[in-house]
Amino acid sequence: MEDMDMDEHDDLYGIDIDHAHKRAIDLVPEEFFWNCADELSPFGSDEGDIALAEFRDWRKLHPDSPVVDCLKWTIESVGEIDFADYNESLVSAEKVKQQIEDENFDDQQYIFTLDVSVIATGFAQLVDEGKMDASSKPVIKVALDRQILWSGLHEGWEHGDQYIDNLRVLKRVLQEA
């Protein structure tokens, strides 16, 4: 499907390759991306699925706004931090390791859930509109890079290598989109 009216998104729920923009399908032929049950995919986890739905709701209310505005809202609500603080300074192995080891820091919420929400929001635009706003790409890159670090620091996670491979595919797509 080349272009889709916003009204056509009203009835969509979840990731659906049959209703995705053709450019998204061309850029991401990998099956994991389109699998709503794959926890290692952008939309397969509860967090990613919710972010996709939230993006679609946000887009209905803000059809002409840049997606970075939605990312700002996501970061400030899910991450409970100022948008300006969500930047490359977060992509530090030392910092992420310290946060994981800090029993008073909820890395599941403030790293995993936040980053997955940012990734899914950014890629939702690609799925529905066939593009990714240039202004949103640096924000999405922070999320991808931090997820790669976070995953690599969870030694013994049996799905860590596959998740990192998937994230690297998303980094490639981010550059090409």
Side-chain angles (χ1 to χ4, degrees):
M1 172 167 284
E2 193 65 32
D3 289 304
M4 187 181 301
D5 292 333
M6 290 311 294
D7 293 342
E8 293 184 57
H9 289 293
D10 289 348
D11 296 332
L12 288 182
Y13 186 83
I15 189 67
D16 181 359
I17 196 169
D18 293 332
H19 293 95
H21 194 282
K22 181 185 180 327
R23 185 157 184 263
I25 298 166
D26 290 345
L27 283 172
V28 198
E30 289 83 358
E31 289 183 30
F32 80 89
F33 184 85
W34 305 99
N35 187 339
C36 67
D38 184 347
E39 291 278 335
L40 306 178
S41 73
F43 311 107
S45 66
D46 289 343
E47 296 85 359
D49 184 58
I50 290 167
L52 175 61
E54 292 286 335
F55 169 78
R56 288 176 174 161
D57 290 344
W58 177 86
R59 184 48 104 195
K60 286 178 214 166
L61 298 173
H62 308 282
D64 300 318
S65 294
V67 172
V68 74
D69 291 350
C70 186
L71 290 169
K72 179 181 180 192
W73 171 73
T74 300
I75 288 164
E76 291 181 350
S77 59
V78 175
E80 299 176 9
I81 63 171
D82 288 333
F83 179 68
D85 295 334
Y86 193 83
N87 57 51
E88 286 291 328
S89 71
L90 298 176
V91 184
S92 155
E94 261 183 57
K95 182 175 189 128
V96 172
K97 186 175 192 302
Q98 180 184 21
Q99 290 172 325
I100 290 169
E101 292 172 352
D102 182 350
E103 63 185 43
N104 294 316
F105 184 83
D106 185 354
D107 65 295
Q108 190 67 37
Q109 174 68 31
Y110 298 116
I111 296 178
F112 178 78
T113 299
L114 174 56
D115 292 347
V116 168
S117 297
V118 167
I119 293 164
T121 299
F123 280 89
Q125 182 186 26
L126 179 64
V127 168
D128 288 353
E129 300 173 12
K131 64 180 183 173
M132 296 176 89
D133 292 348
S135 60
S136 67
K137 287 184 174 188
V139 179
I140 299 163
K141 184 180 181 305
V142 166
L144 290 167
D145 288 343
R146 190 164 72 153
Q147 274 302 287
I148 289 170
L149 278 177
W150 183 82
S151 301
L153 290 169
H154 281 86
E155 295 175 18
W157 182 30
E158 68 177 290
H159 303 293
D161 290 341
Q162 182 60 53
Y163 185 52
I164 290 170
D165 288 346
N166 291 355
L167 292 167
R168 287 187 176 131
V169 167
L170 298 181
K171 282 187 71 166
R172 182 205 78 221
V173 173
L174 182 67
Q175 291 177 341
E176 295 174 2

